[in-house]
Amino acid sequence: MTTASKITLVRVVMIPVFMALMLLGYPIPALIVFIVASCTDFVDGYIARHYNQVSDFGKFLDPLADKLLVISCMVIFVQWGRMAAWALMIVLTREFAVTGLRLVAVEGGRVIAAAMSGKVKTASTMVGLCLMILFRDYPILDLIVVAVIVVTTLVSGVEYFIKNWDVLNLGAKK
């Protein structure tokens, strides 16, 4: 197992730690765990590319770990009434749809790279969730963060499909 994949696994292990801290009412330690876990995404990616440690396992686990971290936080905010379930459903739908599009593309011998809008979505989501963890009693902040998450999620999802619509071969018979 590569160093990059080990770092990704550490991120996965940090998710239940983060959730426990949040649910037990320790927002600052939870925020620290969330930030460290988020930063490991950049570290494992850098190591994988810089030291030629890109692996199929890493390609599978890295995006899964990212999604699990973000969704674990959002689920808690939905449970607490700080985020609408429909907003989380938009995020989940986009993630499943883009993942499905990528799987179809790979089957056709094409790789869909991360678009800039997807990177903006990820960064703004992570920063927004950090703000929501840190500032618990500001409903207007929650609304703004959720709005930014929903808008960037929709924009990036639409962009992926517009740029890669041909991958779906609509109307083609097998």
Side-chain angles (χ1 to χ4, degrees), residues 74 77-78 81-90 142-143 146 150:
M74 289 181 181
F77 287 138
V78 168
R82 293 183 60 196
M83 178 180 230
W86 62 262
L88 174 58
M89 196 62 208
I90 286 172
D142 293 353
L143 288 174
V146 171
V150 167

Side-chain angles (χ1 to χ4, degrees), residues 1-121:
M1 181 178 300
T2 67
T3 301
S5 292
K6 289 176 185 174
I7 293 170
T8 305
L9 280 174
V10 168
R11 182 163 67 255
V12 172
V13 170
M14 293 174 88
I15 294 167
V17 173
F18 161 74
M19 291 186 78
L21 290 168
M22 283 291 284
L23 293 170
L24 291 171
Y26 297 104
I28 300 303
L31 177 62
I32 292 167
V33 170
F34 188 85
I35 290 170
V36 170
S38 298
C39 289
T40 64
D41 182 31
F42 301 105
V43 173
D44 63 16
Y46 172 80
I47 289 172
R49 287 184 299 278
H50 189 72
Y51 295 102
N52 197 26
Q53 294 186 4
V54 175
S55 67
D56 288 340
F57 180 69
K59 288 178 191 176
F60 163 76
L61 189 62
D62 182 67
L64 180 62
D66 297 341
K67 289 167 184 46
L68 290 173
L69 177 64
V70 167
I71 291 168
S72 71
C73 187
M74 289 181 181
V75 165
I76 290 170
F77 287 138
V78 168
Q79 179 179 337
W80 289 349
R82 293 183 60 196
M83 178 180 230
W86 62 262
L88 174 58
M89 196 62 208
I90 286 172
V91 171
L92 290 171
T93 301
R94 183 258 185 218
E95 296 304 337
F96 284 125
V98 170
T99 298
L101 182 67
R102 283 186 163 142
L103 289 172
V104 171
V106 165
E107 189 176 294
R110 182 162 147 194
V111 174
I112 299 175
M116 182 54 72
S117 65
K119 293 178 181 187
V120 168
K121 174 203 64 93

